[in-house]
Amino acid sequence: GAVVSQHPSRVICKSGTSVKIECRSLDFQATTMFWYRQFPKQSLMLMATSNEGSKATYEQGVEKDKFLINHASLTLSTLTVTSAHPEDSSFYICSARDREGPSYNEQFFGPGTRLTVL
Amino acid sequence: RKEVEQDPGPFNVPEGATVAFNCTYSNSASQSFFWYRQDCRKEPKLLMSVYSSGNEDGRFTAQLNRASQCISLLIRDSKLSDSATYLCVVNNGRNNAGNMLTFGGGTRLMVKP
């Protein structure tokens, strides 16, 4: 149980385009999902916390108008990187909490999406 | 100062060796602690939680010292498959979800035959 999927796993796009990344909890309901970014040889940095039915909470330094987050259902959160630029190239990882599960405090991570902006 | 600090390594050890990693955290109000393992170009996976009383899972032992704000991970009888980056993770509970994980930079382990 507690499986989180992400789609796409890899995307290459041109500068200026928008890219949507989906994060799904497959076998549990996730009222809260988290979006992280990881640059090469660096650790994961939390970008935002996505709450079902309400606005996302962004970490300091993360532009909410550039990284649009929608958490419309209990099993799906999307991150849209708008007007992507080469410096947005990174590994984007989502995670979700299963609040009803035995490990309610544990975050389960998706496999990540590798974004390359040319 | 980083919130969670780790020696980036790499730690190069032979198979069968015992290796220990340490991690320090800056927020004394941190609530829970974890070690995650991350393989190259993959997502992090929970290795074990870290309790004040210490905990052991097979060849892996984790300990927490709140006084020194230090977390450790000991791996005995290293296997080639243990080669990965080990992430020290602290839950500060700061955000609205009460579950903000702060990741250390990771310690890279390479186990050689």
Side-chain angles (χ1 to χ4, degrees), chain A residues 73-85:
Chain A
S73 79
L74 287 172
T75 59
L76 173 65
S77 175
T78 60
L79 168 69
T80 302
V81 184
T82 61
S83 186
H85 290 284

Side-chain angles (χ1 to χ4, degrees), chain A residues 34-45:
Chain A
F34 304 87
W35 286 97
Y36 295 84
R37 180 168 54 183
Q38 186 176 31
F39 291 107
K41 299 189 184 299
Q42 295 185 29
S43 193
L44 280 75
M45 295 297 294

Side-chain angles (χ1 to χ4, degrees), chain B residues 19-86:
Chain B
V19 61
F21 308 137
N22 290 317
C23 159
T24 57
Y25 59 96
S26 61
N27 186 348
S28 59
S30 297
Q31 300 173 355
S32 49
F33 311 88
F34 310 89
W35 282 102
Y36 277 74
R37 170 194 169 128
Q38 186 174 26
D39 292 288
C40 189
R41 304 173 80 85
K42 300 280 189 181
E43 78 277 19
K45 297 196 176 187
L46 179 66
L47 180 64
M48 58 198 309
S49 301
V50 188
Y51 305 119
S52 297
S53 56
N55 50 310
E56 185 174 318
D57 183 2
R59 298 181 293 109
F60 299 84
T61 301
Q63 299 220 314
L64 167 65
N65 185 324
R66 284 191 182 270
S68 61
Q69 294 179 202
C70 179
I71 307 156
S72 65
L73 176 68
L74 181 77
I75 305 175
R76 289 182 297 276
D77 189 22
S78 300
K79 311 289 184 192
L80 294 176
S81 56
D82 293 335
S83 298
T85 296
Y86 291 83

Side-chain angles (χ1 to χ4, degrees), chain A residues 38 43 49 97 106-107 110 114, chain B residues 38 43 95 97 99 103-104:
Chain A
Q38 186 176 31
S43 193
T49 302
R97 284 176 65 194
E106 181 178 348
Q107 290 188 23
R114 192 161 299 280
Chain B
Q38 186 174 26
E43 78 277 19
N95 67 357
N99 192 29
F103 286 77

Side-chain angles (χ1 to χ4, degrees), chain A residues 58-76:
Chain A
Y58 290 81
E59 294 302 303
Q60 193 171 14
V62 178
E63 301 175 54
K64 62 179 181 180
D65 294 329
K66 180 169 179 65
F67 298 99
L68 301 179
I69 291 173
N70 184 284
H71 193 158
S73 79
L74 287 172
T75 59
L76 173 65

